[in-house]
Amino acid sequence: MRLQDRAAGYAALLLPLLGAILTAQQPQARIRIDTNRVIGEVHPHIFGNFAEHLGRCIYGGIFEEGSPLSDSDGFRKDVLDAVKPLGVSILRWPGGNFASGYNWMDGIGPRDQRPARPDHAWGALESNRFGTDEFLRYCERVGAEPYLCINAGLGSVDSARQWVEYCNETRPTYWADQRRKNGREKPWNVKVWGLGNEIDGPWQLGHKNAEDYAKFALQAAVAMRRQDDSLKLIASGSSNFGPNADWIGWNRTVLDRLKNEIDYISLHTYIGNPDSNFEKYLSISQDLDDRIAIVEGQIRAARNEQTRPHPIYIAFDEWNTWYRARSGTTEFEIAKTGLEEHYNFEDALATGMFLNSFIRHANIVKMANLAQLVNVIAPIFTNKQGMYLQTIYFPLLEYGKQRGNTSLDVQVTSPTYRVGDRAPLGYLDVSSTYHAADRTVYLNVLNRSEKLDISARLDSVSGQVGKEAAVWEMNHTDLKAVNDFGSEKVKPAIRTATLIVADNGFTYLFPKHSLTILRLKIQ
Ligand code: AHR
């Protein structure tokens, strides 16, 4: 064969390949950064958490008396060491469903004299060895603001008011003196209180219709505020998003009746991937974004009629992936699983999806509490000998560094896909924040395509982008890979990327099924 023919043959073979490479390098997506397009402050309370008397969250998780791994307060030191770097900004307690049957008075005073009680929320036995003072001491140890949820199920308005007195009263009153007798002279000064948990759910002890709940919550709010007028109060919003649940109606009534008293309305959402469809799983941001937008509109409508004008925000005070450790039809059956989810790699990506949605709505979502902290649908998993970090721990840790930044409204175009008959959504799910003092932009990019690497052109209209980016990336070849004791194989890769910057922008390839945080300097 002549040389020219051979060259032509090679060219015929190589050109399509070259074409494919070039196409792959062509930006398929665009992200435009403008630091003046501010959505709102990423409130530190978006990085909150939740600890319930359920399974091994408290007993055997946070608190294990007599364990060689615990300190003199009974707090597991290894767990503390994992909780502290997370920077849990606010910690919700004691439930959850548990709150709706809980009498806080059982959990104070000398531990050996506290009564054991049946826990009718989860079918367990509650020793009450961990109570208000233990919880508040734990919050001080980890640097978290405490958030107490009152019993709006079987409890009374006056019991809620007296709980505030126990925690916050400075004068020598009966309950303040009980607190002093229990070793705490100065008030705990608990500011954030939930007016009950999931009272819209038929599974809840003391479940009520919206009118009855609003009446109870209003009386509780007024009585608690008489005790301490500096409280921040959270109404129990809709948790029950089932097809037959009138969740919009619930929120409308609650907001209308409580608009002059509350500072937040709560939302709860648990998601899952039961049919093992990766791209469908990560399309749930459509529901999250919709729900937040709908409730934001409802808040706006209620605020329009406030006689005491003040802001009301969304507290997303339970969120996570939860579907495997959820078998059974009653709460008692479900509790047998201990709700011990073993999180895999794709669940870590779902964590990024949730946080992206909260950041995109940073003007209205001012609190979010991952459910829960240890063992029970949690990022930290223990046994008697030690602990390991679940896959979802790592995005929580990294996104947490963006607390206090301003959320930016970045403009994104990306190849799209559809799930069923829903509107098309971009493969790239993006949020962005800005730290003005050091002119750093954080870009949080989830590529939810299972098969496509996506090349994106990123442009800044706010100044020249520095030539280096700090890259944090979570990726794994096995979507179902999990961590375990002694084997933390799912974790982020951290590196510095040198960018080829031209015209205040650069091109970056976001690998398929990955979560990337780029930290860029704007010069
Ligand atoms: O977090 C587990 C449970 O989920 C909580 O107790 C309840 O509020 C929700 O249904």
Side-chain angles (χ1 to χ4, degrees):
M1 195 192 285
R2 290 183 314 140
L3 200 59
Q4 297 96 305
D5 293 341
R6 208 181 289 171
Y10 287 145
L13 277 175
L14 287 177
L15 273 176
L17 193 61
L18 195 63
I21 292 169
L22 283 176
T23 315
Q25 298 307 317
Q26 292 302 315
Q28 300 147 294
R30 299 194 87 91
I31 301 176
R32 194 163 177 269
I33 304 160
D34 179 348
T35 54
N36 287 323
R37 291 175 65 98
V38 169
I39 297 173
E41 188 208 6
V42 178
H43 197 284
H45 286 170
I46 285 179
F47 304 100
N49 213 299
F50 167 41
E52 179 169 10
H53 288 243
L54 166 56
R56 299 189 306 121
C57 181
I58 303 287
Y59 304 106
I62 284 173
F63 182 74
E64 194 165 5
E65 291 172 290
S67 163
L69 298 176
S70 297
D71 64 14
S72 55
D73 284 323
F75 300 145
R76 278 276 297 252
K77 286 183 282 189
D78 53 344
V79 174
L80 274 170
D81 288 346
V83 171
K84 281 183 188 159
L86 272 186
V88 173
S89 52
I90 184 160
L91 190 57
R92 178 174 183 250
W93 179 86
N97 296 345
F98 177 79
S100 298
Y102 181 58
N103 181 353
W104 66 270
M105 295 172 194
D106 291 340
I108 57 170
R111 278 191 204 143
D112 291 334
Q113 291 168 27
R114 296 184 196 171
R117 302 271 189 207
D119 158 18
H120 293 301
W122 296 107
L125 188 69
E126 174 55 50
S127 70
N128 280 307
R129 293 185 71 81
F130 187 96
T132 300
D133 293 299
E134 285 79 12
F135 171 70
L136 295 172
R137 204 169 305 131
Y138 195 76
C139 287
E140 281 193 343
R141 292 286 293 280
V142 299
E145 171 146 15
Y147 160 5
L148 296 178
C149 182
I150 69 164
N151 179 345
L154 304 183
S156 73
V157 166
D158 201 35
S159 165
R161 186 202 58 76
Q162 291 173 90
W163 204 4
V164 179
E165 182 188 330
Y166 181 85
C167 294
N168 293 359
E169 178 60 66
T170 51
R171 295 168 298 177
T173 66
Y174 176 78
W175 285 112
D177 285 345
Q178 295 303 306
R179 183 192 71 230
R180 293 187 184 100
K181 218 192 278 173
N182 295 335
R184 176 75 181 197
E185 177 56 39
K186 61 175 190 194
W188 287 109
N189 215 7
V190 179
K191 291 289 165 220
V192 181
W193 294 76
L195 300 171
N197 175 71
E198 295 191 353
I199 303 294
D200 62 326
W203 58 88
Q204 201 67 209
L205 289 167
H207 161 57
K208 297 173 179 53
N209 65 33
E211 284 294 352
D212 288 350
Y213 167 67
K215 198 168 164 196
F216 175 93
L218 188 60
Q219 289 175 356
V222 170
M224 291 163 76
R225 280 242 169 81
R226 291 265 172 100
Q227 177 59 48
D228 180 344
D229 64 6
S230 68
L231 303 186
K232 296 283 178 203
L233 300 178
I234 304 172
S236 177
S238 49
S239 63
N240 193 2
F241 292 103
N244 301 320
D246 177 20
W247 67 272
I248 294 183
W250 173 276
N251 288 338
R252 190 186 300 121
T253 304
V254 167
L255 281 164
D256 179 60
R257 308 298 187 272
L258 296 169
K259 58 183 177 282
N260 291 314
E261 294 299 334
I262 56 171
D263 302 285
Y264 304 83
I265 181 163
S266 77
L267 294 182
H268 290 179
T269 295
Y270 293 102
I271 64 169
N273 187 14
D275 42 6
S276 204
N277 181 336
F278 175 81
E279 293 185 357
K280 182 176 163 204
Y281 179 34
L282 295 183
S283 74
I284 295 175
S285 61
Q286 284 187 314
D287 295 321
L288 299 174
D289 290 341
D290 277 0
R291 271 174 211 168
I292 294 170
I294 289 168
V295 178
E296 181 179 11
Q298 294 189 296
I299 290 174
R300 198 175 293 175
R303 286 204 55 199
N304 193 42
E305 294 177 351
Q306 279 174 326
T307 51
R308 187 177 77 83
H310 70 282
I312 298 175
Y313 297 115
I314 292 173
F316 227 110
D317 58 13
E318 286 187 32
W319 66 272
N320 206 343
T321 290
W322 173 26
Y323 66 108
R324 286 156 296 225
R326 207 174 181 167
S327 55
T329 47
T330 66
E331 310 310 300
F332 287 16
E333 282 166 16
I334 293 171
K336 287 190 188 134
T337 66
L339 285 66
E340 297 195 354
E341 286 275 352
H342 294 279
Y343 289 110
N344 60 30
F345 164 62
E346 65 185 15
D347 299 327
L349 302 191
T351 303
M353 175 183 69
F354 266 112
L355 293 168
N356 279 352
S357 182
F358 299 154
I359 291 172
R360 280 195 295 268
H361 297 94
N363 58 315
I364 193 76
V365 178
K366 292 291 185 189
M367 188 190 301
N369 304 69
L370 180 88
Q372 300 189 8
L373 189 56
V374 191
N375 293 327
V376 174
I377 43 175
I380 298 164
F381 201 89
T382 70
N383 63 13
K384 291 217 172 288
Q385 290 75 42
M387 51 135 295
Y388 73 89
L389 303 177
Q390 296 234 50
T391 62
I392 63 169
Y393 181 92
F394 300 99
L396 292 170
L397 178 69
E398 195 61 21
Y399 274 77
K401 296 174 185 165
Q402 298 176 55
R403 68 191 61 203
N405 288 2
T406 46
S407 168
L408 297 182
D409 180 16
V410 281
Q411 289 168 291
V412 182
T413 51
S414 122
T416 58
Y417 72 108
R418 296 182 82 114
V419 174
D421 57 3
R422 302 201 64 166
L425 78 160
Y427 274 123
L428 296 189
D429 179 76
V430 183
S431 71
S432 177
T433 71
Y434 181 53
H435 190 265
D438 58 12
R439 291 188 63 75
T440 301
V441 167
Y442 295 70
L443 265 181
N444 309 307
V445 182
L446 167 64
N447 180 356
R448 50 191 159 190
S449 170
E450 195 174 345
K451 305 234 161 62
L452 296 175
D453 299 335
I454 294 183
S455 156
R457 167 81 192 175
L458 292 94
D459 289 302
S460 155
V461 297
S462 306
Q464 181 74 22
V465 177
K467 291 201 167 25
E468 284 193 341
V471 182
W472 176 99
E473 183 187 309
M474 272 196 96
N475 205 344
H476 203 280
T477 47
D478 178 4
L479 301 178
K480 307 293 183 192
V482 294
N483 290 342
D484 207 340
F485 293 101
S487 149
E488 273 168 15
K489 54 187 172 198
V490 184
K491 55 181 177 209
I494 292 161
R495 61 177 186 277
T496 304
T498 305
L499 309 173
I500 304 172
V501 178
D503 300 329
N504 287 354
F506 62 97
T507 300
Y508 193 88
L509 191 73
F510 294 101
K512 61 189 171 191
H513 54 69
S514 65
L515 178 63
T516 306
I517 301 178
L518 293 180
R519 227 186 300 163
L520 310 165
K521 284 269 186 216
I522 305 288
Q523 291 163 348

